[in-house]
Amino acid sequence: CTSSCTGSSIPDIGADEYSPPVCSAAGGGSIAPSSVNSCVGLTYNMSASGAEVGVGASYQWEISTVGGGIGFADVAGGSGATTTSYTTGTLTSGTYYYRLRVTCSNCIPVSCVGYSNELTVVVNNLPAVSVTPTSATYCSGTSPIALIASAASTYSWSPASGLSATTGANVNSTPATTTTYTVTGTDANGCTNTATASINVLITPTITSITATPSSVCSGNNSQLQVNGSVNSPTAAGYVFSQSVG
């Protein structure tokens, strides 16, 4: 018989007959790793794999400063708080515990609730990186300015121009022009911070000639001294004469 038969039709097999899966439990899934270190000012993304899915399942990330199942409350801020993947807001110093709460509304006779394992996030302070001196004046062609960084484990410097090295706590600076150097220090926890040192560059003048008129005089008489110098910029501010006997 075909669809033209009286009182008969061919069933419509299609999307109308699809039934989405529904939750039947409240498994919270697993967070890995279960303990991490981070730094003040950063964010952290966490995910629970294997959490219960399906119609009737809902999610909520929770936070505690105690852990061990105690003191948990819904997270505030960040993004993804009601999904299986959550990114925190900007972290502050301390130790925090996170878990995912899963609720299934299809459990009988009442909704059931389950939790993931707890994730421990230790948020470390940034190193108090400093550099000495924070400012100095360098005359071209003279001894370099020593820059010394402290309060971290490793250091990197920029820009490289005029530096004896770009890594290490101690570097020497002989810039060609006025330069501000930035040192980035990293501590044992992987946290970083920066400090700066500004080096003002002065151009050293060159003495091209010195003359005395007359070149020899009797005791008690005078001779006019003339000095000529050259400098790129700025011009020499003044000259100082010193005496030698010979």
Side-chain angles (χ1 to χ4, degrees):
C1 182
T2 66
S3 60
S4 61
C5 298
T6 303
S8 176
S9 64
I10 296 176
D12 181 12
I13 300 175
D16 290 342
E17 298 184 7
Y18 170 75
S19 296
V22 296
C23 67
S24 58
S30 176
I31 306 172
S34 60
S35 181
V36 296
N37 283 294
S38 190
C39 306
V40 166
L42 299 181
T43 62
Y44 185 77
N45 174 261
M46 60 197 75
S47 296
S49 61
E52 185 75 15
V53 296
V55 175
S58 60
Y59 312 100
Q60 177 63 58
W61 286 91
E62 299 179 337
I63 186 174
S64 169
T65 57
V66 180
I70 301 172
F72 279 91
D74 293 352
V75 295
S79 60
T82 57
T83 70
T84 58
S85 180
Y86 172 63
T87 300
T88 70
T90 302
L91 295 170
T92 56
S93 178
T95 299
Y96 305 94
Y97 304 88
Y98 293 88
R99 69 182 184 184
L100 177 64
R101 184 180 77 239
V102 179
T103 302
C104 177
S105 62
N106 297 315
C107 294
I108 298 174
V110 295
S111 297
C112 49
V113 177
Y115 300 93
S116 69
N117 61 305
E118 294 182 12
L119 166 67
T120 303
V121 179
V122 178
V123 183
N124 300 287
N125 285 313
L126 305 183
V129 176
S130 64
V131 60
T132 303
T134 56
S135 62
T137 297
Y138 170 69
C139 292
S140 60
T142 61
S143 298
I145 303 296
L147 300 177
I148 303 173
S150 60
S153 300
T154 61
Y155 305 90
S156 62
W157 299 79
S158 66
S161 177
L163 291 180
S164 60
T166 56
T167 59
N170 301 341
V171 299
N172 289 325
S173 169
T174 55
T177 59
T178 296
T179 303
T180 297
Y181 291 104
T182 299
V183 58
T184 300
T186 304
D187 66 12
N189 297 312
C191 300
T192 64
N193 209 346
T194 62
T196 60
S198 297
I199 308 300
N200 182 42
V201 176
L202 299 180
I203 305 302
T204 302
T206 301
I207 303 299
T208 57
S209 66
I210 302 176
T211 59
T213 306
S215 58
S216 60
V217 294
C218 295
S219 177
N221 292 333
N222 298 319
S223 177
Q224 181 179 351
L225 302 180
Q226 175 70 38
V227 61
N228 295 309
S230 64
V231 64
N232 292 329
S233 176
T235 58
Y239 300 91
V240 176
F241 292 90
S242 60
Q243 174 181 297
S244 63
V245 179

